[in-house]
Amino acid sequence: MPLFIAVILWDKGLSISDIALFIALTATGFVFALYYWDRLRAQHDWAKLISLSFILQSLFVVSLLWGDHTLITTVGALINGAAGCFYWSTQRLLFQAITEDKNTGNTFGNFQILVVFALKSGVLIGSYLLGMEYFISLLLLSFMLSLLGFLLVYKSLISNTQLAKLKQVPAFTLKQVIKFQDQHHSSLIFVVDGLFLFLESYFWLLTIYMLTQESVMQLGLILIALSILLALIFFVIKKYIDRVDTQKIYRIAVLGYAFSWLIRGFLDTEMDSLFIYSGLLLAAFLSNFFRLAFNKRFYDIARQDKPTRYIICKSYYSQFMLVVFFSVIAVLTMTTDTAVHQLQVIYYLCTPLVLVYFLYGKRAKSVAL
């Protein structure tokens, strides 16, 4: 269900401006939840950390089921942010714990393949239910799976002794987060990266939906086809990326990522279907190749010093700037222009920001620790 949030919001009558505001409030909920998450992490309360992600996701589904426009874009958005915080922050922390030196590209590639096949079944079921207008059925299914996940995870974590052995540093103060700075321009990258992640997961998915004449079934089939192809690509390159000149691969990936946003801005509903699908495939490949290269660099840099602080600072910086970025987008899109054109303009305006990624990993001249 999370994959279809943007589509669900659009079909419920929200405009691009409304969805941008929803994202800004989602980021706000993430930031507040992160403060609490960090303290549970320091206490090794893994059962509560992981279980809360399921519980909060269930509450968000309830808001979609019975909430009106205002409730969804306020309370629902805040809950959605909190759910995302507990899921993604915990996932990043545990991923960092299982990776070893020089294998982050391979490990992340394996993780991507697993996610691709796990999502494929979810996308197929979700698109079918939405396509058949079984909106309530989809949300109830998501609600039940969240509760089931909570019961299974909570039971398994109570008796798990491996997680208890993970060493955790004390919770961080906001002052420590604000003063974060390193030799790799990380704070600048954190500021930009959140914007592109949410543009992809919300606006780009909504663009694909519009390009397919707002057919949820067609959207689902496209996403599945892309997932299968990308899984095959990751299977081939996941080991290779750890062996070659990482700087060269990274630079190529950044250029490809910038080109992918130009493609997104160029695609239009008036184009031939073959041209649209070719553009979707190329944009998906370039984006996922960049994510593989970027995440390898992210986890390699994180493990060099204080990985927990690094991961937490990344979330704080990214989410805070999401509030700023999408609040501005919400204001700028309060026009009568078509949604497709509004999204195209956003993609073109954001493309130059991709070049900031070139700075990631370069040594800064002076560092204040």
Side-chain angles (χ1 to χ4, degrees), residues 106-123:
N106 183 41
T107 306
F108 187 76
N110 287 330
F111 176 73
Q112 286 289 89
I113 292 173
L114 177 63
V115 168
V116 159
F117 283 103
L119 283 178
K120 187 174 69 173
S121 57
V123 169

Side-chain angles (χ1 to χ4, degrees), residues 104-112 233-242 249-250 253 285-299:
T104 46
N106 183 41
T107 306
F108 187 76
N110 287 330
F111 176 73
Q112 286 289 89
I233 292 172
F234 276 120
F235 181 78
V236 174
I237 68 175
K238 66 187 180 69
K239 291 184 180 294
Y240 178 72
I241 196 172
D242 285 315
I249 287 291
Y250 182 74
F285 169 72
L286 293 174
S287 296
N288 281 273
F289 181 67
F290 167 76
R291 280 297 151 193
L292 179 59
F294 174 81
N295 280 284
K296 171 180 169 52
R297 178 155 298 196
F298 174 83
Y299 287 108

Side-chain angles (χ1 to χ4, degrees), residues 66-352:
W66 291 288
D68 56 16
H69 183 287
T70 303
L71 183 66
I72 292 172
T73 54
T74 52
V75 178
L78 292 171
I79 294 174
N80 184 44
C85 169
F86 276 87
Y87 175 78
W88 288 110
S89 299
T90 306
Q91 186 263 353
R92 288 192 188 105
L93 194 65
L94 295 179
F95 181 85
Q96 177 64 36
I98 65 173
T99 55
E100 301 174 355
D101 291 335
K102 299 183 179 179
N103 83 326
T104 46
N106 183 41
T107 306
F108 187 76
N110 287 330
F111 176 73
Q112 286 289 89
I113 292 173
L114 177 63
V115 168
V116 159
F117 283 103
L119 283 178
K120 187 174 69 173
S121 57
V123 169
L124 184 61
I125 296 172
S127 58
Y128 172 76
L129 291 176
L130 284 178
M132 298 298 292
E133 298 185 358
Y134 296 148
F135 174 70
I136 295 179
S137 299
L138 174 62
L139 294 181
L140 287 176
L141 177 61
S142 180
F143 180 78
M144 292 172 61
L145 289 175
S146 293
L147 289 181
L148 178 62
F150 161 70
L151 294 174
L152 294 175
V153 169
Y154 191 83
K155 182 179 178 180
S156 64
L157 290 178
I158 289 295
S159 58
N160 191 299
T161 58
Q162 294 288 337
L163 289 176
K165 297 178 181 178
L166 289 177
K167 294 182 179 180
Q168 293 300 313
V169 296
F172 298 97
T173 64
L174 293 179
K175 184 178 180 180
Q176 289 175 303
V177 173
I178 293 172
K179 287 188 173 182
F180 170 78
Q181 195 174 7
D182 67 359
Q183 298 177 322
H184 306 287
H185 303 281
S186 294
S187 56
L188 179 60
I189 300 302
F190 295 166
V191 165
V192 172
D193 192 51
L195 169 65
F196 287 105
L197 283 173
F198 272 71
L199 283 178
E200 286 188 44
S201 58
Y202 281 84
F203 282 175
W204 175 233
L205 189 66
L206 188 57
T207 296
I208 298 176
Y209 182 54
M210 294 174 181
L211 291 174
T212 57
Q213 289 75 49
E214 299 194 5
S215 169
V216 183
M217 284 296 292
Q218 193 173 351
L219 172 63
L221 292 174
I222 289 174
L223 293 177
I224 291 172
L226 290 175
S227 296
I228 294 173
L229 180 61
L230 292 173
L232 294 174
I233 292 172
F234 276 120
F235 181 78
V236 174
I237 68 175
K238 66 187 180 69
K239 291 184 180 294
Y240 178 72
I241 196 172
D242 285 315
R243 301 173 183 170
V244 298
D245 184 343
T246 56
Q247 184 63 19
K248 183 178 180 180
I249 287 291
Y250 182 74
R251 288 173 181 169
I252 294 173
V254 172
L255 287 175
Y257 194 50
F259 185 60
S260 77
W261 287 101
L262 291 176
I263 294 173
R264 289 175 169 93
F266 185 69
L267 293 178
D268 192 89
T269 53
E270 302 300 321
M271 292 180 176
D272 182 74
S273 297
L274 180 61
F275 195 86
I276 290 177
Y277 295 145
S278 299
L280 293 178
L281 176 60
L282 183 56
F285 169 72
L286 293 174
S287 296
N288 281 273
F289 181 67
F290 167 76
R291 280 297 151 193
L292 179 59
F294 174 81
N295 280 284
K296 171 180 169 52
R297 178 155 298 196
F298 174 83
Y299 287 108
D300 284 344
I301 292 176
R303 72 167 53 255
Q304 290 178 12
D305 188 14
K306 301 174 182 178
T308 301
R309 184 192 182 196
Y310 194 83
I311 291 170
I312 290 175
C313 286
K314 200 272 186 190
S315 294
Y316 270 117
Y317 278 71
S318 295
Q319 296 296 323
F320 177 77
M321 287 308 299
L322 279 174
V323 178
V324 177
F325 281 130
F326 281 93
S327 294
V328 172
I329 291 174
V331 173
L332 295 179
T333 52
M334 293 175 64
T335 65
T336 57
D337 202 356
T338 63
V340 173
H341 186 258
Q342 287 178 335
L343 292 173
Q344 287 177 318
V345 172
I346 292 172
Y347 299 153
Y348 281 134
L349 290 176
C350 291
T351 297

Side-chain angles (χ1 to χ4, degrees), residues 47-66:
K48 187 177 292 186
L49 277 174
I50 299 179
S51 298
L52 272 173
S53 67
F54 290 103
I55 296 173
L56 290 168
Q57 183 63 41
S58 299
L59 292 175
F60 174 61
V61 172
V62 170
S63 74
L64 286 178
L65 271 172
W66 291 288

